Amino acid sequence: LGDPEYTLLDGIVAKARADGDTNWASVDSVIEHTAPIQPGNSGGPLIDENGQVVGINYAGGDLGGTGTSQFFAIGGDLALPTVEILKNGDYLSLGVNGQAVVDDSIGLAGIFVSSVDTNSPAGTLGLQPGDIIEDLEGLPMATDGTMKDYCDVLQSHAPTDKLRVDVLRFDENLSLRGEFNGRPLSPVESIVDQLPGEESTPQVAAGSAYTDYMTVTDDTGRIQVSVPTDWDDLDPTPNTADDGSFVAPELVAAPDVDGFLSTFDVPGVDIVAWDPDPTLTLADWMNGENGAMSLDSLCDPAGIEDYDDGYFTGLIGYWTGCGGTDTEIVAIASAPPDDSLVVTVLAQLLTQADFDALDHIIASFTAIAGGTTTTAPTTDAGTGYTDYVTITDDTGRLTIDVPVEWEAVTTVPATDVEGNFVAPYIAAAPDLEDLFGTYDTPGVEFMAFEPDPGLTLTDWLDMVISDTGVASSCIADDVEPYDDGVYTGLTQRWTDCAGTPTQYVIIVAEPGDGSVITVLGVQLVTPADQDALDRIIASFTAN
């Protein structure tokens, strides 16, 4: 078990909840302290003045390259649940030993694979040391230089889930695509290789290459894609009927959206995620009123053939000489393996650089069926929360971390109409009146109830839905299982609240001993609030 001799070094806690995201790890929060950690000390205990273990040391030194040493430990509140899981095997492991890398000079970001466990999903996938995981489940990896996005994807899926992955085999400059727990890696074809017609080589000028891309999302949060930064004119509003009613999520990106939609002089892309219609085939979607039926009269049709990008399958159409110009158009109608939606993509292409951009778009876009989206709201991005405060209710039974900006707080217990105690309660928001009365303000409500043997978790969820009134104002996603490693139960996300992009997330869960029923309701107005939700989930406790 190692050397029985030990070294005791003293220090103080510099920060109780420091950022735990680095280029080689992602922990919800860590304890920053001043007791020097040496190589080989990882896994050693951090103890308080009473000799009680409060954390596990795991990192130290000049981690940020600033010339100042910092030392970190994983707190017991995070470590203990993980230890219990590790007793039964690996935890959130795909069999990859890697770290985040970013090189802005060549536009590279991803998870560099140092080694692979042959007997793992990564080994079966065909991943090799030296590969770079660029994209996982449609999410670009390591753009911030940390493992956060990679670990977040793993934490939001079961170990056996299929995960779509895009990989760069750097030494061969080869792009690969496959699925963990699914299809092995295979080379990614250029869209040009799938164009219909015998003479399917684009007859367009080379154009100036696009070097920078940005990720954009539609207003419902159900379509996400990476487009050239030059295509910075966006229309993320939904597709609507003549009476203005919602039809489907839609996202248009171009240097000039009006020019893209009304002329053949501007490149761009239009993506729509339709609910499936059992009466329509993909050929109907391609040729019908929602498809490319008008192009034959405006362009020279090259044909329509089968399409397969390794995940979405369907049909691809190709038109040239549009409007008497050299502009070419590619249209795709496709569906994922579960046929949960139909995605149509129409791209207007003036140069070879635009075709290269279309390759990037096809490789990056994700579309989620209605009722299953877990994407954060996508209005203004919001200001990221950097500081959090721990709140305890008046009974001392609830604790939770919230952004310091949510400074309007109540910790008074919930009572019935006669003033009798019902449950411990915390609410926090920038403005509590706005939280309770509108969908314009983010915030959280947190309660804990004594378990009732006559009620299931579904019953508790139904009661919360009734009490909050979300069913009359928002669109329901599917009810899904909830498991954060300590609490298990049910969660449901409600979207488009009162016709806004605001979302409301409900969690009803209990610990392993079933000693308490916890209820969380979190209102999300911007993507920054999704980060706050992640922190809330990682920090809340009830007894």
Side-chain angles (χ1 to χ4, degrees):
L1 295 178
D3 192 336
E5 295 294 329
Y6 61 88
T7 301
L8 180 64
L9 300 170
D10 64 347
I12 63 171
V13 172
K15 187 179 291 186
R17 287 189 176 274
D19 184 5
D21 293 319
T22 68
N23 69 334
W24 56 275
S26 178
V27 185
D28 289 332
S29 64
V30 293
I31 301 170
E32 181 181 348
H33 60 84
T34 62
I37 294 177
Q38 302 300 321
N41 290 157
S42 294
L46 180 71
I47 61 176
D48 62 15
E49 67 272 17
N50 298 316
Q52 299 295 309
V53 177
V54 296
I56 300 174
N57 290 309
Y58 92 113
D62 183 10
L63 302 180
T66 62
T68 301
S69 292
Q70 296 173 292
F71 308 101
F72 299 96
I74 300 172
D77 58 331
L78 296 178
L80 286 174
T82 303
V83 168
E84 291 302 313
I85 296 172
L86 285 172
K87 289 179 180 179
N88 298 316
D90 284 342
Y91 176 50
L92 297 177
S93 175
L94 295 174
V96 176
N97 180 16
Q99 69 177 51
V101 293
V102 178
D103 188 337
D104 292 332
S105 66
I106 59 174
L108 176 67
I111 307 301
F112 177 81
V113 178
S114 301
S115 61
V116 175
D117 179 358
T118 304
N119 300 309
S120 71
T124 304
L125 174 68
L127 208 60
Q128 298 179 8
D131 286 348
I132 297 174
I133 300 173
E134 295 187 303
D135 184 285
L136 189 60
E137 281 295 278
L139 182 67
M141 293 288 101
T143 54
D144 61 353
T146 78
M147 296 287 285
K148 181 180 187 302
D149 290 332
Y150 178 78
C151 293
D152 284 351
V153 172
L154 266 61
Q155 289 174 333
S156 62
H157 290 81
T160 56
D161 283 354
K162 289 183 179 180
L163 301 177
R164 177 183 173 183
V165 60
D166 288 329
V167 172
L168 174 64
R169 188 145 291 163
F170 189 77
D171 58 351
E172 301 177 28
N173 194 27
L174 178 63
S175 294
L176 304 167
R177 180 173 297 150
E179 294 171 321
F180 287 104
N181 301 309
R183 294 178 297 101
L185 290 173
S186 60
V188 176
E189 285 187 317
S190 168
I191 196 70
V192 172
D193 298 326
Q194 296 202 48
L195 292 178
E198 295 181 1
E199 300 294 333
S200 59
T201 302
Q203 302 299 309
V204 292
S208 298
Y210 300 110
T211 57
D212 296 314
Y213 285 79
M214 60 183 178
T215 300
V216 294
T217 311
D218 80 297
D219 280 352
T220 71
R222 289 168 52 188
I223 300 173
Q224 179 175 286
V225 67
S226 180
V227 300
T229 54
D230 304 73
W231 297 9
D232 56 356
D233 191 14
L234 306 174
D235 183 357
T237 58
N239 184 288
T240 57
D242 292 340
D243 62 2
S245 60
F246 176 90
V247 174
E250 183 170 11
L251 179 61
V252 182
D256 174 10
V257 166
D258 288 341
F260 165 67
L261 295 175
S262 61
T263 76
F264 291 110
D265 301 329
V266 179
V269 66
D270 183 353
I271 303 174
V272 188
W274 310 90
D275 287 334
D277 184 335
T279 67
L280 298 178
T281 66
L282 287 175
D284 295 328
W285 285 101
M286 177 68 79
N287 297 312
E289 62 177 343
N290 294 323
M293 66 175 183
S294 63
L295 292 177
D296 284 357
S297 63
L298 300 171
C299 311
D300 299 324
I304 296 175
E305 294 183 1
D306 291 339
Y307 169 80
D308 186 345
D309 66 14
Y311 185 73
F312 287 86
T313 57
L315 298 172
I316 181 171
Y318 180 40
W319 291 261
T320 63
C322 294
T325 71
D326 291 334
T327 297
E328 301 183 351
I329 288 179
V330 173
I332 299 169
S334 63
D338 61 2
D339 292 322
S340 58
L341 74 166
V342 173
V343 177
T344 57
V345 178
L346 189 145
Q348 189 159 282
L349 313 163
L350 279 64
T351 67
Q352 182 58 53
D354 296 332
F355 274 92
D356 295 339
L358 181 56
D359 280 337
H360 193 94
I361 288 166
I362 296 301
S364 67
F365 92 86
T366 58
I368 304 172
T372 60
T373 178
T374 57
T375 307
T378 55
T379 52
D380 175 69
T383 301
Y385 300 114
T386 57
D387 295 314
Y388 287 78
V389 60
T390 300
I391 298 172
T392 303
D393 81 297
D394 287 357
T395 71
R397 293 173 55 190
L398 307 180
T399 61
I400 193 171
D401 288 357
V402 300
V404 294
E405 290 86 351
W406 296 8
E407 58 188 357
V409 175
T410 180
T411 56
V412 178
T415 58
D416 60 22
V417 292
E418 297 177 350
N420 298 315
F421 175 88
V422 173
Y425 176 76
I426 292 175
D431 184 307
L432 287 177
E433 288 188 6
D434 284 349
L435 173 66
F436 299 145
T438 75
Y439 287 106
D440 300 330
T441 299
V444 60
E445 292 184 86
F446 179 28
M447 304 177 74
F449 296 91
E450 299 295 330
D452 184 334
L455 297 176
T456 66
L457 288 175
T458 300
D459 295 330
W460 283 102
L461 179 62
D462 289 342
M463 287 191 294
V464 176
I465 292 170
S466 176
D467 289 344
T468 57
V470 291
S472 63
S473 304
C474 311
I475 299 173
D477 284 0
D478 291 340
V479 176
E480 297 183 354
Y482 174 82
D483 187 346
D484 62 19
V486 178
Y487 295 86
T488 58
L490 301 172
T491 183
Q492 187 170 27
R493 186 177 292 249
W494 296 75
T495 63
D496 302 315
C497 294
T500 73
T502 295
Q503 301 181 3
Y504 195 86
V505 176
I506 299 172
I507 298 171
V508 176
E510 59 186 351
D513 61 5
S515 58
V516 65
I517 302 295
T518 60
V519 174
L520 282 163
V522 186
Q523 190 157 290
L524 313 175
V525 179
T526 73
D529 300 327
Q530 178 67 44
D531 295 335
L533 173 60
D534 292 340
R535 180 63 173 262
I536 287 167
I537 288 173
S539 67
F540 82 87
T541 61
N543 55 60

